[in-house]
Amino acid sequence: MRRRHWNKGELAFQAANYSLLALLSLLFLVPLLAIVSTSLVGETELMRRGSFILVPDKLDFSAYRVLLADGSSLYRAYGITVARVVVGTALNLLFTSMLAYGLSRKGMPGREWMITLIFLTMLFGGGLIPTYLLLKYLHLTDTFWVMIVPGLISAWNLLIMRNFFSQIPESLIESATIDGATPFTILARIVFPLSLPTFATIGLFYAVGHWNAWFDATIYINNPELLPVQVLLRRVVLTMSSQDLNADIMGALTNKPTPQSLRGAMIVLTTVPILFVYPFLQKHFIKGALTGSLKG
């Protein structure tokens, strides 16, 4: 293979490019490494070295033992969060794709004014109190579904998916209709296989949103059995204590972890799972984001 010879200008550009990318990577990695290290530091070392530690002298897993011990409410909160991500993302994709497919067909009556109304929801909201009263009237408050139903369709994700569906040839849809396929059959057997990158991208948007969401749970849910893991993380960060997670274990320990270690361990436990999802969807994510945003 013939090797390309770069001139001095190109070499300088590549060097500057890689240096900038390395610097940006460090800006993201150093805070994450500091959080992980703080979660593994004992009280003595923390008092001696301060709160910013990149490499611990001695590993201390007491914070993780407290958070992951039997009886910790972290497991229940994890279950609620995982259920929310799985059920919520599946329903989000189902409802968003059905509406997006309908709006992408040029023969749909009232298509233009419906798109205008959906766009207006991106500019104006109903307000917190009216929304709360509406959900209470629908008997959704203090239930698991209050974290799913109000956000079933995101206007932004809907428009991205609708733009991609609009690029599917109309003749393909007409051929399937002539062969007797229903709209649901066309969506499931033709549109969905052709739109896997877009579904993966929008699904990742919805899944990350569900995983990180905490505000709706704090407003609409009073039952502690239904609180997701992000609400527990917020309590630990604010109170610097794990009494809400595992009061019995904390009371029995003689060498208790520091509040900083607990906070770091809680952040790690709530962040790592969603980080493992991204590499599996990365190739679809890049392609889906480009096609959904540029076409149309």
Side-chain angles (χ1 to χ4, degrees):
M1 180 182 294
R2 184 180 179 184
R3 297 184 60 183
R4 181 188 176 191
H5 296 284
W6 290 353
N7 57 39
K8 292 183 179 179
E10 290 175 329
L11 287 174
F13 173 77
Q14 292 296 336
N17 195 19
Y18 282 115
S19 299
L20 179 61
L21 291 176
L23 179 61
L24 289 175
S25 300
L26 286 177
L27 290 177
F28 290 109
L29 289 176
V30 168
L32 181 61
L33 181 60
I35 290 293
V36 175
S37 300
T38 303
S39 70
L40 298 171
V41 171
E43 184 177 9
T44 305
E45 185 176 349
L46 191 66
M47 293 180 64
R48 177 169 54 86
R49 300 181 59 184
S51 58
F52 187 80
I53 300 173
L54 291 180
V55 181
D57 293 336
K58 181 180 179 181
L59 298 181
D60 186 327
F61 294 95
S62 58
Y64 290 95
R65 281 198 290 270
V66 170
L67 296 177
L68 299 176
D70 291 338
S72 173
S73 56
L74 182 64
Y75 293 108
R76 172 187 45 75
Y78 255 126
I80 294 295
T81 299
V82 171
R84 174 178 182 168
V85 170
V86 174
V87 176
T89 303
L91 293 178
N92 286 140
L93 289 177
L94 176 64
F95 281 84
T96 303
S97 61
M98 287 195 299
L99 183 55
Y101 173 69
L103 293 176
S104 68
R105 297 302 96 194
K106 297 180 180 178
M108 179 180 176
R111 172 172 171 263
E112 297 300 330
W113 68 265
M114 285 188 65
I115 293 175
T116 303
L117 288 178
I118 292 171
F119 175 74
L120 288 178
T121 63
M122 298 172 61
L123 306 177
F124 307 101
L128 182 59
I129 294 177
T131 303
Y132 179 85
L133 294 177
L134 174 62
L135 296 176
K136 186 177 182 181
Y137 176 78
L138 296 174
H139 303 289
L140 287 174
T141 55
D142 226 13
T143 67
F144 172 77
W145 296 105
V146 77
M147 298 183 287
I148 304 293
V149 174
L152 271 180
I153 298 177
S154 161
W156 174 259
N157 293 335
L158 171 71
L159 294 178
I160 292 177
M161 190 171 283
R162 173 243 174 199
N163 287 344
F164 184 83
F165 289 166
S166 299
Q167 305 306 312
I168 297 176
E170 195 72 30
S171 57
L172 189 62
I173 306 299
E174 291 175 355
S175 299
T177 304
I178 292 173
D179 290 338
T182 64
F184 288 103
T185 303
I186 296 173
L187 178 63
R189 304 187 64 175
I190 297 177
V191 176
F192 177 73
L194 294 174
S195 312
L196 279 179
T198 300
F199 273 87
T201 304
I202 301 300
L204 184 61
F205 287 161
Y206 278 127
V208 173
H210 281 299
W211 183 271
N212 292 328
W214 59 273
F215 184 74
D216 51 357
T218 58
I219 296 297
Y220 304 128
I221 294 179
N222 294 318
N223 185 357
E225 301 293 324
L226 294 175
L227 294 178
V229 71
Q230 299 296 344
V231 176
L232 293 185
L233 169 63
R234 181 173 178 270
R235 287 182 177 179
V236 172
V237 171
L238 292 179
T239 64
M240 304 283 283
S241 168
S242 70
Q243 294 296 328
D244 292 331
L245 297 167
N246 207 331
D248 295 336
I249 296 296
M250 280 294 290
L253 284 178
T254 54
N255 186 22
K256 295 181 175 59
T258 64
Q260 290 87 348
S261 299
L262 283 171
R263 183 172 60 180
M266 191 66 189
I267 293 174
V268 171
L269 292 175
T270 55
T271 305
V272 168
I274 197 65
L275 291 180
F276 280 104
V277 175
Y278 181 76
F280 296 101
L281 298 175
Q282 184 179 11
K283 63 178 182 180
H284 298 298
F285 176 79
I286 297 173
K287 184 178 179 181
L290 290 175
T291 54
S293 58
L294 294 179
K295 291 182 178 180

